[in-house]
Amino acid sequence: MRKAGYILGLLGLAGTVLGGEVVLRKPPESLSRFYPPISERPVFLEKMHAMSTALSGIRLNINEERWDNALRWAEDFLRTYEEVSRMVPEWKDYFKLGEARKLIDAVRDKDIDGVVERMKAVGRSCSECHADNEISVKIYYRFPDFGKVSVEDPIEWREMDYGEFMRALSSSMKALYVFLSQGDDEGAREAGDAFVQRARAVGESCKKCHTRREEIRAILSEDYERTIERIEELLGKDKLPRDEIKSLVNRAGVSCWVCHNVHLIPARLRSALEGK
């Protein structure tokens, strides 16, 4: 009989992304039943973790030649695999139910070659589904919908959707920089006041999703707050220190791209999946 350690590392197959081209498709409607807000918990994701854990249980116990334990994990895997295959009818063709059932027989017979063959087949089915759907599912269900977030603009005193507010903030920031570069102190003061007020409103908008201050601090740091305070202070001087203010504006912009790296790209991909 082949040494049990032969199947070490096989589970990496389930996480492999096949091919070099990524095509995002909106997840099927039937999947929505298993994610918030329709479901209280991300049930489908929990089933994915359960299957991955069961495969690990098979591998680890066979490597220790604990075949009874391996069989229990194999039975758990098959039960969950069959259940998941019925949850989203549009994805039923990804599942290799026959191979999953044969895996039970291979473990029961202590057939290492059979276990390896069946786990590879099942792993490929997981990889194919992940390659086609995992990214779009994560973006669609695990990233916030910024279309539902509104911000009260402190300059125009009206509610703006998040995209409109970000454009207003960006316009104020660029206007401040342009007027400083042109030596137009009056224009710089007006644009700077709008920028400072909107830059502070960003932190308030974050609280609509992030309930812990530590989460907001990860992007809008104390340095960001001090930078905005310093810009406001310098804008109040009789003679504007233009180069210093421009440097501080660039410094505040670091928080912009940090936030964009976390939120902007997924938000745009989510909008594209929704056809917006």
Side-chain angles (χ1 to χ4, degrees):
M1 182 175 67
R2 184 172 296 179
K3 186 178 178 181
Y6 177 86
I7 68 167
L8 263 171
L10 270 180
L11 293 185
L13 286 167
T16 302
V17 176
L18 305 178
E21 183 177 286
V22 176
V23 178
L24 299 184
R25 305 177 182 86
K26 183 179 179 179
E29 283 299 320
S30 58
L31 186 62
S32 298
R33 295 175 295 161
F34 308 109
Y35 280 93
I38 296 177
S39 170
E40 291 185 2
R41 308 186 325 276
V43 175
F44 194 84
L45 179 62
E46 291 172 0
K47 298 295 182 184
M48 294 293 106
H49 290 164
M51 287 193 295
S52 178
T53 300
L55 287 173
S56 292
I58 297 169
R59 174 176 61 83
L60 292 171
N61 278 287
I62 290 179
N63 286 341
E64 297 294 327
E65 299 188 357
R66 297 172 179 172
W67 290 94
D68 289 345
N69 286 341
L71 182 58
R72 282 193 288 272
W73 283 111
E75 290 169 344
D76 283 349
F77 172 76
L78 176 61
R79 183 165 49 252
T80 307
Y81 192 74
E82 289 178 331
E83 182 181 356
V84 172
S85 73
R86 297 188 294 269
M87 291 171 75
V88 185
E90 295 88 342
W91 290 348
K92 67 181 188 314
D93 291 341
Y94 287 111
F95 292 85
K96 308 299 181 186
L97 295 172
E99 297 294 342
R101 291 166 186 148
K102 290 177 183 177
L103 176 59
I104 298 285
D105 295 332
V107 175
R108 184 179 290 115
D109 295 340
K110 301 182 182 180
D111 176 7
I112 291 291
D113 288 332
V115 170
V116 169
E117 182 180 352
R118 305 311 171 195
M119 289 185 75
K120 281 184 176 179
V122 170
R124 279 193 296 269
S125 75
C126 297
S127 295
E128 289 166 3
C129 187
H130 290 177
D132 290 344
N133 303 297
E134 184 178 23
I135 295 174
S136 59
V137 168
K138 285 183 175 180
I139 290 171
Y140 197 77
Y141 291 108
R142 299 179 68 180
F143 281 87
D145 181 359
F146 286 95
K148 298 178 181 178
V149 178
S150 62
V151 184
E152 183 175 319
D153 180 61
I155 304 303
E156 297 188 21
W157 292 104
R158 65 182 179 88
E159 290 286 319
M160 294 182 176
D161 66 44
Y162 212 73
E164 182 183 13
F165 177 74
M166 285 291 112
R167 288 189 291 273
L169 171 64
S170 177
S171 294
S172 299
M173 184 180 188
K174 292 172 184 175
L176 170 58
Y177 202 93
V178 167
F179 287 132
L180 288 170
S181 299
Q182 295 175 177
D184 183 347
D185 287 1
E186 183 179 351
R189 292 183 205 279
E190 182 178 352
D193 177 66
F195 169 66
V196 166
Q197 291 191 57
R198 284 170 170 154
R200 287 190 172 128
V202 169
E204 292 301 311
S205 72
C206 296
K207 294 177 182 178
K208 295 189 176 184
C209 294
H210 298 284
T211 57
R212 294 190 302 149
R213 185 165 178 78
E214 293 83 356
E215 295 174 349
I216 300 173
R217 285 285 194 200
I219 294 177
L220 297 182
S221 62
E222 292 183 12
D223 182 68
Y224 173 82
E225 293 179 358
R226 286 195 298 267
T227 299
I228 299 303
E229 289 173 0
R230 181 60 177 163
I231 291 172
E232 184 177 40
E233 178 186 340
L234 295 178
L235 287 170
K237 291 186 176 294
D238 292 336
K239 181 176 176 57
L240 297 186
R242 296 170 189 148
D243 289 341
E244 184 178 355
I245 296 173
K246 286 165 66 175
S247 176
L248 289 168
V249 169
N250 288 331
R251 187 167 181 167
V254 171
S255 289
C256 297
W257 62 256
V258 170
C259 182
H260 291 175
N261 284 345
V262 175
H263 292 307
L264 181 61
I265 294 173
R268 288 185 173 173
L269 290 173
R270 194 181 197 282
S271 293
L273 289 169
E274 292 177 328
K276 294 180 181 179

